[in-house]
């Protein structure tokens, strides 16, 4: 795999989080951000040497910790580190209201270091087959026009797969029309169920209402998602899993990997949900590029998200056997287990990947 054959690039942020829980010592320098988690989701399904096909542009400050940089290098991706000499890295404060990793507040504590589109010039990620964005509806349109123009000048005429999750703070009823406009330009529009509800002026629902989620998603489909209306909507709905909505089929709900019934305690392995949605989309992208099936790709996404739930921050990668392991588990074995549980066709062929 040549480094210029890039399959996926997230243009989301990399953030160093401080995490505060009641009556506990703060956790500092926790790698986070939509770009980091989406890249993780993709990396889970690209074991070495396929990992080189994963492009990652990281914009950091002078204080970016060397151990974290070393960890990113160890993933074996095509990593491009843009370091500022006199500006701090993007940092955030994630404050939980109780010890269950439930209600929380997040704020940036330093200026944001985003990836500028022009910085992709003459880099392998400019010809990526798929991109992930977390953006406002206004910014996603501008950014897509910019990157498509840059790709055209570089001779990359084939349209990439564009996956867009709306920035949570932009999901307000006054932005609904802007989101409808932006969704026509992307291939995959993926809010979570709370963000989708907020776009329709619905107060934060206590329980995911599947019928309402489907009807709200259809409003986007009716308006048009993707070129020619051929795009899809994936609504990520926490403990209810996710729903895939497209013009070609009835809505399909997939359960989460770790399940609990309403009123039950969550699975003991579920520690922190931060980043699960981003990882879902990175894993989805690889699943779709590898299989061409949006349902199978959503299985990849569901399993990718499960690895982010098991700890605060990133899962641990190891090579104790012939197969790469994350948190001591085989990603493709977990995918096989999940698909078997939901009755999806057998995928033994993936277990041969090294």
């Amino acid at each position: 795999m040549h480094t210029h054959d890039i399959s996926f690039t997230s243009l989301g942020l990399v953030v160093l989080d401080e995490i505060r829980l009641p009556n506990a010592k703060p956790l500092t320098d926790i790698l986070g951000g939509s770009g980091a988690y989406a890249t993780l989701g993709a990396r889970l399904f690209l074991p070495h040497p396929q990992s080189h096909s994963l492009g990652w542009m990281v914009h950091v400050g002078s204080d970016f910790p060397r151990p974290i940089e070393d960890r990113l290098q160890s993933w074996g991706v095509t990593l491009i580190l843009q370091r500022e000499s006199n500006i701090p890295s993007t940092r955030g404060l994630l404050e939980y209201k109780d010890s269950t990793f439930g209600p929380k507040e997040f704020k940036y504590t330093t200026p944001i270091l985003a990836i500028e589109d022009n910085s992709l010039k003459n880099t392998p990620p400019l010809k990526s087959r798929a991109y992930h964005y977390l953006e406002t509806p206004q910014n996603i349109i501008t950014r897509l026009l910019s990157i498509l123009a840059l790709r055209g000048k570089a001779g990359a005429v084939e349209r990439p797969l564009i996956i867009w999750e709306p920035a949570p703070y932009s999901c307000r009823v006054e932005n609904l029309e802007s989101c409808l406009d932006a969704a026509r330009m992307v291939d995959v529009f993926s809010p979570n169920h709370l963000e989708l509800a907020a776009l329709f002026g619905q107060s934060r629902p206590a329980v995911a209402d599947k019928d309402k989620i489907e009807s709200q998603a259809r409003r986007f489909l009716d308006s048009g998602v993707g070129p020619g209306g051929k795009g899809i909507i994936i609504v990520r709905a926490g403990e209810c899993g996710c729903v895939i909505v497209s013009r070609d089929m009835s809505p399909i709900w997939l359960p989460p990997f770790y399940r609990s019934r309403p009123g039950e305690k969550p699975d003991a392995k579920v520690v922190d949900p931060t980043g699960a949605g981003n990882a879902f989309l990175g894993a989805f992208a690889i699943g779709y590029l590898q299989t061409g099936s949006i349902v199978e790709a959503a299985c990849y996404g569901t399993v990718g998200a499960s690895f982010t739930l098991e700890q605060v921050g990133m899962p641990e990668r190891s090579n104790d056997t012939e197969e790469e392991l994350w948190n001591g588990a085989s990603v493709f074995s977990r995918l096989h287990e999940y698909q078997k549980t939901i009755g999806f066709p057998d995928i033994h062929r993936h277990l041969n990947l090294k």
Side-chain angles (χ1 to χ4, degrees):
M1 178 68 69
H2 299 294
T3 56
H4 61 269
D5 295 330
I6 300 299
S7 57
F8 174 82
T9 300
S10 174
L11 295 174
L13 294 176
V14 170
V15 183
L16 297 174
D17 286 331
E18 177 179 336
I19 299 176
R20 293 183 186 171
L21 285 159
N23 306 313
K25 186 178 179 182
L27 303 171
T28 58
D29 286 345
I30 303 297
L31 180 65
S34 62
Y37 279 109
T39 301
L40 167 72
R43 176 62 180 82
L44 289 167
F45 289 96
L46 292 172
H48 187 80
Q50 290 175 293
S51 56
H52 295 302
S53 78
L54 182 53
W56 197 4
M57 300 198 73
V58 183
H59 193 180
V60 303
S62 55
D63 59 344
F64 196 71
R66 187 57 190 258
I68 295 183
E69 182 180 338
D70 291 344
R71 189 175 188 182
L72 303 189
Q73 295 283 3
S74 76
W75 284 8
V77 305
T78 298
L79 182 69
I80 300 169
L81 208 64
Q82 296 179 297
R83 189 188 297 276
E84 301 290 343
S85 60
N86 55 358
I87 301 175
S89 300
T90 307
R91 290 182 177 272
L93 174 61
L94 189 59
E95 202 156 7
Y96 286 94
K97 301 304 179 185
D98 58 33
S99 58
T100 67
F101 289 97
K104 62 187 177 183
E105 286 183 1
F106 176 81
K107 65 179 180 182
Y108 291 107
T109 56
T110 63
I112 292 171
L113 294 179
I115 298 295
E116 300 294 334
D117 296 318
N118 279 336
S119 65
L120 272 75
K121 283 183 181 177
N122 303 314
T123 70
L126 183 59
K127 296 186 177 181
S128 182
R129 293 173 61 199
Y131 293 102
H132 160 263
Y133 291 90
L134 187 148
E135 275 292 0
T136 66
Q138 296 82 3
N139 285 353
I140 188 66
I141 293 175
T142 304
R143 296 203 67 181
L144 287 185
L145 293 173
S146 172
I147 201 163
L148 292 175
L150 287 169
R151 286 169 62 92
K153 288 177 183 175
V157 293
E158 188 174 335
R159 178 184 161 85
L161 179 75
I162 303 294
I163 299 173
W164 172 44
E165 53 178 318
Y169 62 85
S170 71
C171 292
R172 302 190 301 267
V173 67
E174 60 265 31
N175 278 331
L176 176 59
E177 291 301 323
S178 297
C179 278
L180 290 168
D181 290 342
R184 297 187 192 108
M185 293 186 63
V186 305
D187 302 288
V188 180
F189 173 56
S190 185
N192 67 34
H193 69 292
L194 299 176
E195 293 157 357
L196 185 63
L199 283 169
F200 288 91
Q202 181 187 356
S203 60
R204 190 179 181 93
V207 179
D209 181 333
K210 290 187 175 182
D211 289 338
K212 183 157 279 187
I213 290 169
E214 288 179 22
S215 69
Q216 291 168 343
R218 281 197 196 96
R219 171 74 188 278
F220 275 86
L221 272 192
D222 292 343
S223 172
V225 176
K230 295 179 180 178
I232 65 167
I233 302 169
I234 302 178
V235 184
R236 294 163 283 116
E239 62 190 26
C240 288
C242 70
V243 61
I244 309 161
V245 186
S246 80
R247 286 185 177 177
D248 298 333
M249 61 188 187
S250 300
I252 294 178
W253 283 89
L254 295 178
F257 182 80
Y258 290 120
R259 293 181 233 186
S260 61
R261 293 185 177 87
E264 288 185 353
K265 286 185 176 180
D267 190 295
K269 287 191 175 181
V270 176
V271 174
D272 182 6
T274 301
N278 312 128
F280 178 104
L281 293 174
F284 173 91
I286 300 305
Y288 184 73
L289 292 175
Q290 290 185 353
T291 71
S293 162
I294 57 176
V295 178
E296 190 165 357
C299 293
Y300 277 60
T302 299
V303 170
S306 74
F307 282 91
T308 71
L309 299 171
E310 298 172 348
Q311 68 286 306
V312 175
M314 298 287 160
E316 290 293 332
R317 184 178 65 89
S318 61
N319 284 86
D320 294 339
T321 67
E322 288 185 358
E323 188 177 7
E324 199 173 73
L325 302 178
W326 292 82
N327 286 351
S330 158
V331 176
F332 287 102
S333 292
R334 184 175 290 188
L335 177 63
H336 176 62
E337 174 192 343
Y338 176 74
Q339 293 191 320
K340 189 175 180 182
T341 300
I342 65 170
F344 197 83
D346 193 89
I347 54 152
H348 272 300
R349 58 194 172 86
H350 288 305
L351 298 175
N352 295 323
L353 291 172
K354 295 288 187 288

